[in-house]
Amino acid sequence: MDLGLRGKRALVMGASKGLGRSVAEALAAEGVAIAISGREQASLDKVCDSLRSLGAPKALGIPADVAKAADMDALADGALAALGGVDILFLNHGGPPPSTALGLTPEMLEKWFRPAVLSPIQVANRLLPGMRERRWGRIISVGSIGIEQPIANLAISNTLRAALAGWNKTLSAEVAGEGITCNILAPGAFRTDRTTETAEAAAKKTGKSLDEVIAARAKTIPAGRMGEPDEYGPMAAFLASDKAAYLTGCIVRLDGGATLST
């Protein structure tokens, strides 16, 4: 299916690996010019070479740390300067470390509030004026099924991603009439470094092996397996297309049926 994205311009945050890279690759295959962010220029440059081979007419990497406000302004401005505008924004950041609600401290929340909530909003605010002027834009935020069904031992993520979901829903209503959609693409368990990190924490806590923890997690998923990163990006590309123009303010789950609520 041709999603009609050729000629569009995207900023994909956290695209050096994992789900962010999957999104960048899916957009590149649709002919989108792409700016990506991550911490290391060398890693970004390698990904950009791959994106160009997939079909991106332009691909560049901009190093940025989501924990630093100045980096977020520089990232947004750098993407605007390099691409001439940003039509599609994928907001992404590394997941917070595991924590129980009882073990949650104000210091932990303060540390992660910047990368998980403030930085995504800051970048979006920087790029929204151009989208509003063109009366077309797509803002897609990485989320988690923990927004709707809190995940045990991920109290920081459950709390802060819910805050971003509230912002997303509020913003979506304010800009829907201007041709801008705002959605959250919420993954369940995917085979990423983040999944390995949380599984290692669970293994240490329970005394089980990493393989045992991963196998047990897969058994809780109706699909019987974890998702692969390349199953995530295509849905983001669809949400970025005109074919999804009437879909906004939503949390779209990709979880193999793991969320129990309707």
Side-chain angles (χ1 to χ4, degrees), residues 20-40:
R21 179 166 181 171
S22 175
V23 172
E25 290 176 344
L27 292 174
E30 295 293 327
V32 176
I34 304 174
I36 62 173
S37 72
R39 291 197 176 191
E40 298 179 0

Side-chain angles (χ1 to χ4, degrees), residues 1-12 15 19-36 44 46-60 83 88 90 232-238 240:
M1 179 186 296
D2 181 2
L3 295 177
L5 291 173
R6 191 167 301 280
K8 297 296 185 184
R9 303 155 296 185
L11 169 58
V12 181
L19 301 183
R21 179 166 181 171
S22 175
V23 172
E25 290 176 344
L27 292 174
E30 295 293 327
V32 176
I34 304 174
I36 62 173
L44 294 173
K46 290 181 180 179
V47 175
C48 286
D49 289 341
S50 175
L51 296 178
R52 285 188 287 269
S53 70
L54 287 171
K58 187 172 188 178
L60 71 146
L83 300 177
I88 302 163
F90 182 73
Y232 185 86
M235 180 57 74
F238 170 74

Side-chain angles (χ1 to χ4, degrees), residues 42-141:
S43 297
L44 294 173
D45 289 343
K46 290 181 180 179
V47 175
C48 286
D49 289 341
S50 175
L51 296 178
R52 285 188 287 269
S53 70
L54 287 171
K58 187 172 188 178
L60 71 146
I62 304 174
D65 184 348
V66 290
K68 299 177 180 178
D71 279 18
M72 296 299 95
D73 285 342
L75 172 61
D77 292 346
L80 287 171
L83 300 177
V86 172
D87 308 298
I88 302 163
L89 172 60
F90 182 73
L91 297 169
N92 186 22
H93 57 83
S99 172
T100 62
L102 288 172
L104 201 57
T105 66
E107 291 76 17
M108 294 162 70
L109 287 174
E110 286 178 357
K111 176 181 178 180
W112 282 95
F113 189 65
R114 158 58 62 185
V117 181
L118 293 182
S119 287
I121 294 174
Q122 182 179 347
V123 174
N125 285 346
R126 201 85 168 185
L127 299 179
L128 269 165
M131 294 181 183
R132 298 182 71 188
E133 182 180 348
R134 294 186 295 275
R135 299 189 67 79
W136 199 98
R138 300 289 185 265
I139 298 175
I140 305 167
S141 302

Side-chain angles (χ1 to χ4, degrees), residues 226-238:
M226 292 186 179
E228 300 296 336
D230 61 8
E231 294 177 294
Y232 185 86
M235 180 57 74
F238 170 74

